[in-house]
Each structure stands twice: as C-alpha cells, then as structure tokens.
Amino acid sequence: MDGVYGNKGEAGRSPAREDGHEAYSFACMRCGHGWEQEYEIHHYAHADGTPYVVYYTNGVRVPSPLTRPTCDNCDGHLVRIMRSGRVSGAASHLHR
C-alpha cells in the first residue's frame, strides 16, 4: 500500500476493525452479461467514531459494489448482485 493508505488507514485514520475480503457475482438484467469480482474491504472510523467502509479492487479504490453497480458490457445499472460463484457455476453448466 502507498503512504496515503498505509498502516494508519485512510488519510491517517486508524482502522476501526480488521480488514477483509468479499466477492460477489453480478448479472446485468439489461444485456445478460455476468461477472464476478473480489473486493478488499477496509473498515475505518471518522473522528466522531462513525464507521465507514472503503472498497478496493486490484489496489484501486472503487465505489461500494452494493450501491449502484454498473455493467461493464452495456453501462446499465439494472444489475442483480448474488453470492460469489453463481456466475462461474452457471457458466460451467452451459459448457457441458
């Protein structure tokens, strides 16, 4: 990690609790595109103690995947979010 997001957390704030990883499957209801994405999640607390979360993908800060996901194929926002493995599991059944 770089100096801005080093051990003290984002902008020098201390992490509120341990960081983690999450993965989700996504399916676009507009064009049918499906994909999976893993996220590194960093938990922090504002100066007043209010917690907040920052998501990273491949070391790049990204918006929360739960707020308004965007389809990489058609830029649509009608996207279904599922537990990880759903898209890869469905794809494996199609290729039998």
Side-chain angles (χ1 to χ4, degrees), residues 4 23 43 71 91 96:
V4 175
H43 299 267
C71 176
R96 286 184 177 185

Side-chain angles (χ1 to χ4, degrees), residues 15 23 25 32-33 40-41 43 46 59 64-65 70 72-73 82 86:
S25 293
H33 177 63
E40 184 177 332
I41 302 165
H43 299 267
H46 291 285
S64 167
T70 302
D72 289 338
N73 189 54
M82 303 165 282
R86 302 293 292 183

Side-chain angles (χ1 to χ4, degrees), residues 25-30 32-35 78-82 87:
S25 293
F26 300 90
C28 180
M29 301 291 102
R30 183 175 169 199
H33 177 63
W35 71 98
L78 186 57
V79 176
R80 181 171 185 170
I81 305 169
M82 303 165 282
V87 171

Side-chain angles (χ1 to χ4, degrees), residues 17-87:
R17 56 186 164 193
E18 288 197 28
D19 297 335
H21 289 84
E22 290 182 13
Y24 299 99
S25 293
F26 300 90
C28 180
M29 301 291 102
R30 183 175 169 199
C31 73
H33 177 63
W35 71 98
E36 303 207 8
Q37 185 67 56
E38 292 185 25
Y39 297 89
E40 184 177 332
I41 302 165
H42 296 253
H43 299 267
Y44 301 103
H46 291 285
D48 66 0
T50 306
Y52 68 99
V53 179
V54 178
Y55 290 82
Y56 293 89
T57 298
N58 299 320
V60 176
R61 185 177 177 169
V62 295
S64 167
L66 306 177
T67 54
R68 192 170 188 229
T70 302
C71 176
D72 289 338
N73 189 54
C74 72
D75 291 327
H77 295 290
L78 186 57
V79 176
R80 181 171 185 170
I81 305 169
M82 303 165 282
R83 73 175 191 264
S84 68
R86 302 293 292 183
V87 171

